[in-house]
Amino acid sequence: MSRHAVLIYNPYAGTLLRKPEAFRSAMNILARSGMEVSPAPTTGPRTAAAIAREWMDKGVDLVIACGGDGTINEVAEALVGTATPLGILPGGTANVMALELGLGLKLDEAAEKLSRAVETRIAVARLTTGEVAPRYFLLMAGAGVDAQVIYHLSQPLKDRWGKFAYWIAASRQLGRSLAELDVTIDGETRRCSFALASRIRKYGGPIVVAPGAHLLHDHFEVVLFEGASTFRYLRYLLGVARGTLDGTAGVTIRRAQSVHLSCPDDVRVRLQLDGDYAGKLPATIEIVPDALTLLVPDSFRLET
């Protein structure tokens, strides 16, 4: 069936800057599958959602987002609560969403898989703080040490080293004392220095941190890491590498549909959302069921 799609892409995303021919090849693959594809570049940070709404007003049948996970999340926010499907293509630094869906990292292969993907209705998560309007997200929100790393991550470092820039920035935190926060789930409160509310299994690419999470479930997994010392995270990384994180002392993993994050008034704890800085605590994260139509490969649907 022929359909009109808009392909919203970040022209400064890592893959698109390095391999412009791959983007053209992906466009051709989608066109051969029967799509009429209109390319629409973003014009700066936080412009993708407005572009998506503009094209939906024009009556497109499908919105495709190509870029990093931040760009994809911006486009998804515009589609929440509508019937317009979202397709994604990897074009950024980490491409966590593309990896989670099984689309891979190569644009042409991902385009082939996307052309055969199936429309599936999914839940999304919503982040509410006192600073800005509520934001929706597909992947994860983190509070504490990872958001601190993202907040201080420089764009030149990210441009030069790609996903390794996050590890370089994280290594600079070693030896520092970490701010702690309180996480409340179902009336029970725990203290930690890093809280992750994840809709997906993997964190930052291939690392499995939330093994029971899945985009087709109506909940997220909350992973809590205790301790103000960064050296405790060396043990947590070992648990990740061995696949034994759930049994590692100081780590708690819980399924939830709502979680509240808070900290003392004299402590500043930052938030990240799908890899982008998202403000400070306090905050609430909750599931919004039946919120978005996503194109997913059949193989991903069979995993549930």
Side-chain angles (χ1 to χ4, degrees):
M1 181 183 298
S2 177
R3 64 196 314 181
H4 184 193
V6 58
L7 176 52
I8 300 172
Y9 66 98
N10 178 359
Y12 299 103
T15 300
L16 303 186
L17 275 177
R18 294 190 302 270
K19 300 179 179 179
E21 71 284 353
F23 180 73
R24 292 191 292 269
S25 176
M27 289 273 292
N28 291 333
I29 289 168
L30 295 174
R32 288 198 299 270
S33 73
M35 295 184 195
E36 178 191 346
V37 184
S38 299
T42 59
T43 55
R46 303 297 298 171
T47 60
I51 294 170
R53 293 187 185 100
E54 177 185 342
W55 279 91
M56 285 192 292
D57 288 343
K58 295 178 181 179
V60 293
D61 306 305
L62 169 66
V63 177
I64 302 173
C66 180
D69 294 305
T71 299
I72 291 169
N73 192 70
E74 285 184 44
V75 175
E77 283 194 88
L79 272 60
V80 168
T82 76
T84 305
L86 169 67
I88 74 160
L89 289 173
T93 302
N95 300 302
V96 176
M97 184 68 169
L99 287 172
E100 187 74 12
L101 290 176
L103 293 169
L105 298 177
K106 295 182 178 180
L107 263 174
D108 53 353
E109 294 179 4
E112 287 279 7
K113 293 177 181 178
L114 184 65
S115 68
R116 302 189 300 271
V118 181
E119 293 184 13
T120 305
R121 199 72 179 166
I122 68 167
V124 300
R126 178 171 58 210
L127 171 70
T128 305
T129 71
E131 295 186 318
V132 295
R135 292 183 59 185
Y136 298 94
F137 64 93
L138 296 178
L139 300 178
M140 64 188 72
V145 64
D146 77 328
Q148 184 77 2
V149 168
I150 287 170
Y151 180 78
H152 289 288
L153 182 63
S154 70
Q155 191 62 46
L157 184 67
K158 188 176 177 181
D159 291 341
R160 181 176 181 182
W161 294 103
K163 67 176 66 177
F164 296 107
Y166 294 95
W167 294 103
I168 295 169
S171 69
R172 294 173 179 170
Q173 299 293 318
L174 280 175
R176 298 183 181 182
S177 180
L178 301 174
E180 293 185 288
L181 61 142
D182 291 329
V183 181
T184 303
I185 307 171
D186 296 332
E188 179 185 355
T189 300
R190 288 178 175 269
R191 178 154 291 188
C192 64
S193 53
F194 174 25
L196 183 72
S198 185
R199 296 275 292 132
I200 62 171
R201 297 171 297 143
K202 297 174 182 176
Y203 179 86
I207 303 170
V208 177
V209 173
H214 200 283
L215 281 168
L216 302 188
H217 293 164
D218 282 353
H219 60 257
F220 47 77
E221 279 205 340
V222 183
V223 187
L224 309 178
F225 298 85
E226 299 175 9
S229 170
T230 54
F231 292 108
R232 295 189 67 168
Y233 282 79
L234 299 177
R235 185 171 74 238
Y236 298 154
L237 287 172
L238 184 61
V240 169
R242 291 176 172 175
T244 58
L245 185 62
D246 198 5
T248 300
V251 177
T252 301
I253 301 179
R254 294 273 301 275
R255 290 186 177 182
Q257 291 186 314
S258 178
V259 59
H260 183 69
L261 312 171
S262 61
C263 59
D265 291 338
D266 60 344
V267 175
R268 177 177 296 176
V269 177
R270 294 185 169 91
L271 291 157
Q272 64 89 6
L273 188 153
D274 285 1
D276 287 336
Y277 177 66
K280 300 185 294 294
L281 298 187
T284 298
I285 303 169
E286 55 196 335
I287 282 289
V288 181
D290 189 30
L292 178 71
T293 301
L294 183 67
L295 290 184
V296 304
D298 261 334
S299 57
F300 183 76
R301 288 156 55 97
L302 295 174
E303 291 177 2
T304 57

